[in-house]
Each structure stands twice: as structure tokens, then as C-alpha cells.
């Protein structure tokens, strides 16, 4: 079973190893043979001590522990708990088992309160739904955004309407992927992340939408050719992003936390796996680069640059994780840009 499921509820179920079943017993000896007593199995008990990772205060001491099921406390529910072997070490995984850890028969763990938690899916949906509706408010020019004479008017430039379709498509795609495609390794994240993420996505959506849908907006310098080229880049990268997400989903069965190396499949959009560890970020950056060229708008360019920096950091972390966990990991791969970065 798991090490602990909760910490401060101090009611425990200590269960012992089951006895031998009838079919596991040795057959009855013949009368002519003397009965040889079967050697009893050795049962190992643990002494478990829980300390606060910050002040080293003893929170709990359990003696003669064999197997535990700890009842949860409403305040420190399982998702907000972290147990480590070292005060500054990495948290233990849910699937770690007590007798398989390097602790001996006396085990000391350090407890951290991770704070209030919220599901990844909730955060993803919230940060995507916001930009979708914010952009549409500017596109339809609802009152109190621009001058009253422009209320509920439409732009005369076709690139503005195309940009709205692309922006909406991107976030609808992300919402549907969050609901039906993504499988999250970790169920929750700190509650504060939803405010940070929404501030980032929602504010950039306001900034971009205001200028793209402004009555005084001017189309791209190179006109229709520039817009069509950028649209091709955007559509190509959106298809690539979806293909990568499907491949990553198929790599992980439902409920499994086993990590595997992603490889190219028959889908041509996945062939980039031969050169890049995180092509989902590569395609995401490409999509916003296409949107930047299409709209020729400074706020969009700034959003693309900031996003590229952030996704590069995530890709490098994922790349290091692959190299650390898999000795046979392909050495030709780069984190996000082939042969470059």
C-alpha cells in the first residue's frame, strides 16, 4: 500500500500478514515419516517518526508499524501533503512503499504542507475560457471598450475576422483537449497558480484583442500574401500540436504513472520527436509566431516572446528529466528547437 494517505488524523489500521491458505500448506505426511515443523515467516516491524520539515517538530511517532491506513483530516487532505526523507529533499511518490525505501526499521519522514490545492484540469479550463470570451467581447465591440459610435460595429478588414477565428479555434481546441485528451500525472497544483495563470492569459488577451479589433487597426504591410502565409503556419502548427497531444495520451494508459520515451509514429506531425523532446511546445510557439505575422501586432509579438521563454524553461526541465530517467534516451534530441535549443 502507499506510505501514508493522511497525516494528522491519528487513527490507524495496523494489519498483519495473512496466514497461509489451505492450498499453501504442505501435504499431510505419511505415517511412516516424522512431521517436520514449518519455519515461521519473519515479520518486520517499522518505527515511523514524522517531523515538520520547517522546524523539525515531532508530529507523530508510530511503533511496530507493518501496514497502515491513515484516516484523512479535513484540513490536511492527501493532495496537500508531502513527505520527504530529507527536509530539503524531493517529495516521495504516491506509489512508494515503506519497506522499499532506504530507511531501515527506523524511518524518519519530514512533512510539508503544500497549501490549498486545485486540480490541473480546473486551472487549464479557467485560463483558456477567459481569453476566449475576452477576445470575443472586443471583436463584437461591446459598449465601454471603444468610442460609443463603434459599439457593436464590425471591422472592414478581413484579416481581423480571420484573426478572431484563429484565436477562438486555438482556445476551443485547448479546452477540448483538456476535457478529452490530456492525462495529468499530478492531480493537483497549488491554488495560487490559478490566479497567476489567469492573470497572465487574461491580461494578454485584453491587450491583444484591444489593438487587433480597434477601429483604427491597419492590416499587415505585405497584405494578403503575408496573411495567407501566416495562416498556413498557424494551421500547420495547430495540427501538429494536436497530433503530439494524442501521441502523448496514447503513451500513458488511464491511471498509469509509468513514464515512457515518446517516439515518432506513422503520423508525419510526430516525426519531429526524432529531433525534439517537447514538440508540443515547438508547435505552440509556431502557432503564435504565425498569429503574430498574420496580425502584425506588437502585443501578440510580445506574448509570443514571453511564451517562448517560458516554454523553453519547461522543455529544458522535461529534457533533463528524460536524460536522467532513461539511459537509452536519444542523444540527438534538443529540448524545443532542433539542433539549437
Amino acid at each position: 500500500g502507499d506510505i501514508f494517505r493522511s497525516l494528522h488524523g491519528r487513527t490507524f489500521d495496523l494489519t498483519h500478514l495473512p496466514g497461509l491458505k489451505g492450498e499453501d500448506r504442505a501435504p499431510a505426511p505419511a505415517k511412516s515419516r516424522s512431521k517436520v515443523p514449518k519455519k515461521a515467516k519473519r515479520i518486520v516491524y517499522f518505527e515511523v517518526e514524522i517531523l515538520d520539515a520547517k522546524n523539525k517538530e515531532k508530529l507523530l511517532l508510530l511503533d511496530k508499524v507493518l501496514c497502515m491506513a491513515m484516516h484523512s483530516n479535513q484540513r490536511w487532505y492527501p493532495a496537500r501533503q508531502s513527505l520527504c526523507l530529507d527536509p530539503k529533499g524531493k517529495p516521495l511518490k504516491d506509489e512508494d512503499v515503506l519497506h522499499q525505501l532506504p530507511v531501515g526499521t527506523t524511518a524518519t519522514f519530514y512533512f510539508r504542507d503544500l497549501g490549498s490545492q486545485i486540480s490541473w484540469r480546473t486551472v487549464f479550463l479557467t485560463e483558456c475560457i477567459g481569453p476566449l470570451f475576452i477576445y470575443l467581447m472586443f471583436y463584437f465591440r461591446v459598449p465601454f471598450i471603444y468610442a460609443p459610435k463603434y459599439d457593436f460595429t464590425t471591422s472592414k478588414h478581413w484579416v481581423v475576422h480571420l484573426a478572431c477565428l484563429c484565436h477562438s479555434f486555438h482556445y476551443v481546441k485547448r479546452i477540448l483537449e483538456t476535457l478529452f485528451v490530456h492525462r495529468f500525472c499530478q492531480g493537483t497544483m497549488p491554488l495560487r497558480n490559478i490566479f497567476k495563470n489567469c492573470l497572465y492569459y487574461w491580461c494578454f488577451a485584453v491587450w491583444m484583442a484591444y489593438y487587433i479589433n480597434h477601429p483604427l487597426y491597419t492590416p499587415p504591410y505585405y497584405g494578403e500574401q503575408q496573411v495567407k502565409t501566416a495562416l498556413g503556419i498557424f494551421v500547420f502548427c495547430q495540427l501538429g500540436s494536436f497530433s503530439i497531444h494524442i501521441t502523448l495520451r496514447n503513451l500513458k494508459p488511464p491511471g498509469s504513472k509509468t513514464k515512457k520515451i515518446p517516439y515518432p509514429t506513422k503520423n508525419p506531425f510526430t516525426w519531429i520527436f526524432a529531433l525534439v523532446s517537447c514538440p508540443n511546445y515547438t508547435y505552440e510557439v509556431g502557432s503564435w509566431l504565425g498569429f503574430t505575422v498574420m496580425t502584425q501586432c506588437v502585443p501578440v509579438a510580445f506574448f509570443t516572446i514571453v511564451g517562448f521563454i517560458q516554454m523553453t524553461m519547461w522543455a529544458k526541465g522535461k529534457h533533463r528529466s528524460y536524460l536522467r530517467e532513461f539511459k537509452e534516451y536519444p542523444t540527438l534530441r534538443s529540448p524545443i528547437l532542433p539542433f539549437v535549443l
Side-chain angles (χ1 to χ4, degrees):
D2 296 341
I3 302 177
F4 306 112
R5 282 301 181 191
S6 183
L7 181 63
H8 286 264
R10 303 197 179 192
T11 304
F12 313 105
D13 296 330
L14 304 181
T15 57
H16 298 274
L17 290 174
L20 289 173
K21 297 180 181 180
E23 62 269 22
D24 295 331
R25 297 192 181 103
K31 293 183 179 180
S32 59
R33 297 181 182 179
S34 59
K35 186 175 181 180
V36 180
K38 193 165 186 176
K39 188 175 181 180
K41 291 184 178 180
R42 182 187 177 189
I43 299 177
V44 178
Y45 292 95
F46 294 87
E47 181 180 282
V48 179
E49 182 182 45
I50 309 294
L51 305 180
D52 191 298
K54 292 183 179 179
N55 54 28
K56 309 299 188 297
E57 177 188 353
K58 184 182 292 186
L59 301 176
L60 199 62
L61 178 63
L62 302 174
D63 191 21
K64 290 188 176 180
V65 176
L66 176 62
C67 177
M68 295 186 302
M70 306 181 73
H71 300 279
S72 63
N73 180 283
Q74 187 175 5
R75 181 180 177 187
W76 283 281
Y77 47 89
R80 69 180 289 171
Q81 298 177 34
S82 171
L83 290 175
C84 312
L85 294 176
D86 184 84
K88 297 182 180 180
K90 293 184 178 180
L92 296 173
K93 300 177 181 179
D94 288 343
E95 58 268 24
D96 287 338
V97 182
L98 181 58
H99 71 271
Q100 295 179 350
L101 296 173
V103 293
T105 55
T106 301
T108 300
F109 298 96
Y110 295 90
F111 166 76
R112 294 177 190 158
D113 180 11
L114 300 178
S116 299
Q117 300 287 299
I118 188 171
S119 71
W120 280 73
R121 184 167 277 106
T122 300
V123 175
F124 274 38
L125 290 175
T126 307
E127 70 185 26
C128 292
I129 290 174
L132 177 63
F133 286 99
I134 288 172
Y135 195 98
L136 291 175
M137 289 173 59
F138 284 86
Y139 175 74
F140 290 111
R141 295 176 180 172
V142 298
F144 308 108
I145 295 180
Y146 304 113
K149 65 178 181 179
Y150 295 115
D151 290 351
F152 298 110
T153 59
T154 58
S155 175
K156 62 182 179 180
H157 304 298
W158 68 279
V159 65
V160 173
H161 307 298
L162 181 62
C164 181
L165 287 174
C166 291
H167 189 275
S168 300
F169 175 82
H170 173 76
Y171 281 104
V172 168
K173 167 182 166 293
R174 286 191 58 178
I175 291 171
L176 293 177
E177 287 177 340
T178 300
L179 291 173
F180 304 110
V181 177
H182 293 322
R183 288 175 178 156
F184 301 98
C185 293
Q186 297 176 339
T188 63
M189 66 169 70
L191 179 62
R192 62 181 179 273
N193 283 11
I194 193 171
F195 303 103
K196 179 178 64 177
N197 290 20
C198 288
L199 183 67
Y200 170 76
Y201 283 102
W202 293 19
C203 288
F204 264 115
V206 170
W207 193 20
M208 290 188 294
Y210 177 82
Y211 283 99
I212 296 174
N213 298 287
H214 198 283
L216 301 180
Y217 170 80
T218 55
Y221 182 79
Y222 292 101
E224 183 176 337
Q225 187 60 40
Q226 178 176 336
V227 174
K228 289 184 177 179
T229 302
L231 176 63
I233 296 173
F234 178 85
V235 172
F236 177 86
C237 290
Q238 287 290 284
L239 293 174
S241 173
F242 177 74
S243 300
I244 297 301
H245 289 154
I246 291 296
T247 301
L248 294 176
R249 169 190 168 86
N250 295 337
L251 203 64
K252 187 184 303 179
S256 173
K257 293 186 178 181
T258 303
K259 295 183 179 180
K260 299 179 182 178
I261 301 175
Y263 287 102
T265 66
K266 295 180 180 179
N267 184 343
F269 287 104
T270 67
W271 294 352
I272 192 175
F273 266 125
L275 301 174
V276 172
S277 293
C278 301
N280 49 323
Y281 296 143
T282 309
Y283 283 125
E284 182 75 6
V285 172
S287 296
W288 285 108
L289 181 62
F291 195 72
T292 301
V293 175
M294 179 193 303
T295 59
Q296 197 171 295
C297 188
V298 172
V300 182
F302 195 77
F303 178 74
T304 302
I305 293 171
V306 174
F308 173 68
I309 294 172
Q310 179 61 74
M311 284 184 277
T312 299
M313 295 170 60
W314 291 336
K316 285 185 175 181
K318 188 68 174 179
H319 184 72
R320 287 193 297 267
S321 177
Y322 279 137
L323 292 174
R324 184 173 57 252
E325 296 180 16
F326 302 104
K327 295 181 179 179
E328 69 279 13
Y329 191 73
T331 57
L332 187 61
R333 295 186 187 182
S334 301
I336 189 170
L337 297 180
F339 310 112
V340 178
L341 188 64

